[in-house]
Amino acid sequence: MSTTAGDDGLKNISFLTGLSVLRLQSSNVGNEGANLIASSLTNLTELELECGIGNDGLQSLTRLTKLHTLNLGYSTRFNVEGVRHLAAMTWLRVLNLEHCASTIKKETLENAGFKNLRVTFTHIDEHFRGSSLTMNF
């Protein structure tokens, strides 16, 4: 049996305060769930959220100061403001934004102020063809 994790489901794991890796693929986690993760699972070093997180949720994740790997592949509800929140997470070393919002352009990432970070994302060219790119900052 397979279930899809959402904001309410995260309440069931919020007591796992020593958790260091959390992978939620194809989840329904939104801003509320991101806030719950950031306030209760503060020892996370790796987080994978393929979900509907938006700008507010990304702002919540900035409280996860032990996080070094963040995978937001297929998350489509954030924009340039969300990228700014990600750039504030100077402790991140790996960021995956593949298949995220089409508003996230290569130039946006270049101008965000990332430091010491490897970012993988899907670049859409002028012919609307997608290709995976990795940039090191």
Side-chain angles (χ1 to χ4, degrees):
M1 179 163 97
S2 176
T3 60
T4 302
D7 292 342
D8 288 337
L10 287 174
K11 294 173 186 170
N12 296 318
I13 64 166
S14 63
F15 67 92
L16 299 172
T17 57
L19 197 65
S20 62
V21 177
L22 179 61
R23 292 188 176 103
L24 297 173
Q25 298 174 335
S26 302
S27 69
N28 289 325
V29 174
N31 293 333
E32 182 181 331
N35 187 48
L36 183 63
I37 289 169
S39 61
S40 58
L41 303 177
T42 58
N43 287 308
L44 288 177
T45 58
E46 296 181 31
L47 178 60
E48 181 175 339
L49 285 177
E50 293 179 356
C51 63
I53 192 171
N55 296 330
D56 292 340
L58 292 180
Q59 184 174 22
S60 294
L61 294 183
T62 63
R63 297 191 313 250
L64 295 173
T65 58
K66 294 180 182 178
L67 202 63
H68 61 74
T69 301
L70 180 58
N71 180 350
L72 295 170
Y74 296 94
S75 299
T76 59
R77 295 190 179 150
F78 65 91
N79 57 27
V80 175
E81 178 186 343
V83 172
R84 286 190 202 111
H85 295 312
L86 293 170
M89 299 172 76
T90 57
W91 50 90
L92 277 181
R93 294 297 166 249
V94 178
L95 176 61
N96 180 1
L97 298 175
E98 287 191 279
H99 305 287
C100 287
S102 61
T103 59
I104 307 303
K105 306 283 187 223
K106 180 179 176 183
E107 296 76 22
T108 302
L109 296 173
E110 290 173 333
N111 296 325
F114 289 118
K115 304 233 186 296
N116 301 314
L117 180 67
R118 185 179 77 222
V119 179
T120 303
F121 67 104
T122 303
H123 172 70
I124 308 295
D125 67 16
E126 65 274 3
H127 302 289
F128 299 102
R129 291 180 298 215
S131 60
S132 181
L133 293 179
T134 299
M135 298 173 66
N136 292 305
F137 296 92

